[in-house]
Structures are given as C-alpha cells and as structure tokens.
Amino acid sequence: MNIVLIGFMGTGKSAVGKRLAERLNRPFLELDRIIEEREGCSIAEIFERRGEAHFRRMERAAVHVAAQLPDVVIATGGGAALDDENVKALKATGILVCLTATPEVIRERVGDVRTRPLLSGAADPLAEIKRLLAARAPRYALADHIVDASHLSVDDVVESVVRLVTRGA
Ligand code: S3P
C-alpha cells in the first residue's frame, strides 16, 4: 500500500514525506513539485497565469498517476483532499494520513505568504488559515489516521506515521 500524506499547508507533509520515504526505503512523490516540473513554473505562477481551476486539473491528473504506483510515499498539496475523486483514487491504493497543526503553528511555518496563492491576497493570513481549516475539516477527517504535528519534530512525526501504518500489517 502507498502512504499518502494529506493536510493543510505548513503541516510538514513535504519534510515528513521525504524522511518517511527514506526511512522505509520507498520512492517519494511530491505532487506539487511534479506539477511545477510539468508546467515549468511555480505553483504561485500557475495560479496567477492559468488560474486555480487549471491547477486543480493538473493536481487531479498527478493524483491519478501517483495512485497507480505501488508502495510509494505521496505528499499531496493541501487542497488535493477536497476532491472526492482524488480521495477515492488515493484510498484505493493507499493509507491516508492527515497531518494537522494549530493555526498559529501553521502561520509560523508558512512564513512568506507570497508563495502561497490561497493566503497571499488575505489581509489577515492567520484569520484566513482559521477559516480554511474550519471549512476543510470534514475533508481532512476522511484520512485513515490523523497526526497532530504541532509540537513534534519531523523525525517524531515520521515515527508516529510508521507506527500507525505498520500497526496490524
Ligand atoms: C494548496 C496548498 C498548496 C498548493 C496550492 C494549493 C491548498 O500545497 O497545492 O497552493 O489548496 O491548500 P501545500 O499544502 O504543499 O502548501
């Protein structure tokens, strides 16, 4: 089975995914990076030039390709789990682990919002993070496991995920 990290931006999906893949000796796929490579520009530029709907189409295509691979670690973008078809495809071949963090921790980890199209236009990024988290909570709750990464190191989150996914395996 694949291990699929979902959850809001700034919760550590990329850093955890990379280390988790090393730890388990599996290939690591980061969907946002795959999309950037395919488009030849950054996520922020894709949103700016082609719009969010185009980005979501690219994301859906990347999800469906990644979900067909065997035994990989996948880090999704924060919005991938909003789409029913994405969740269905990822669940068919993988265990979904949602990383969470408090809005304050997310705000700190996100840093410069200019690289985050969903936050870059907000007058108050923390308030926007809280609003989006509340709106997305039911989607992130579709995960098989949830790990609160607010106060854990990357290695600690990796070990928590390993314990969860190997339990009963
Ligand atoms: C998004 C999160 C981003 C990226 C895009 C949209 C979202 O990924 O896919 O900006 O809708 O939450 P990260 O979660 O890796 O920042």
Side-chain angles (χ1 to χ4, degrees), residues 89-125:
L90 292 166
K91 277 205 170 198
T93 53
I95 301 169
L96 266 60
V97 180
C98 180
L99 303 187
T100 64
T102 63
E104 290 74 18
V105 167
I106 289 172
R107 175 67 193 98
E108 204 182 302
R109 289 198 191 148
V110 159
D112 185 351
V113 293
R114 277 175 301 187
T115 59
R116 313 283 180 156
L118 293 187
L119 300 177
S120 56
D124 180 348

Side-chain angles (χ1 to χ4, degrees), residues 127-147:
E128 185 60 7
I129 288 168
K130 288 180 181 167
R131 192 189 70 76
L132 285 169
L133 276 175
R136 292 176 171 192
R139 304 301 306 176
Y140 294 144
L142 295 172
D144 300 297
H145 304 287
I146 296 177
V147 176

